[in-house]
Amino acid sequence: ETGAGCAAVFYIDGQRAAKIGPGQKASFILPAGEVSLGAGLAESGLCAGAAIKTVTANIKPGREVIYRINWDTQGFYLGPYVENGR
């Protein structure tokens, strides 16, 4: 999710994988191993100009991994999503 009504572009190993609007989500089936995940703001209006943020994820066979694009006063960031009780 992003704030300020901005859409995000999600990247997997440097390749554009999805454009995700506020409140939307996308799912991907990836092979096990290390993968580079990235997010940047879609280039439009107030959303233009932010650098792409990347993280490295270690995908394990048969496990679901959830990452969330968050927005705060410092900008946006991409990180693992942790639910209480998981």
Side-chain angles (χ1 to χ4, degrees), residues 23 36 86:
S36 173
R86 274 188 110 173

Side-chain angles (χ1 to χ4, degrees), residues 16-85:
R16 184 181 171 133
K19 183 176 177 181
I20 304 168
Q24 294 182 324
K25 63 182 178 180
S27 298
F28 305 94
I29 297 173
L30 302 174
E34 228 174 59
V35 63
S36 173
L37 304 177
L41 299 181
E43 294 292 326
S44 60
L46 297 174
C47 302
I52 295 169
K53 308 283 176 73
T54 60
V55 297
T56 300
N58 188 8
I59 307 300
K60 293 178 175 44
R63 296 285 310 268
E64 180 180 48
V65 180
I66 301 171
Y67 278 78
R68 186 173 185 153
I69 302 166
N70 288 303
W71 184 276
D72 64 22
T73 57
Q74 304 300 311
F76 79 99
Y77 56 95
L78 175 66
Y81 176 67
V82 179
E83 264 187 65
N84 291 334

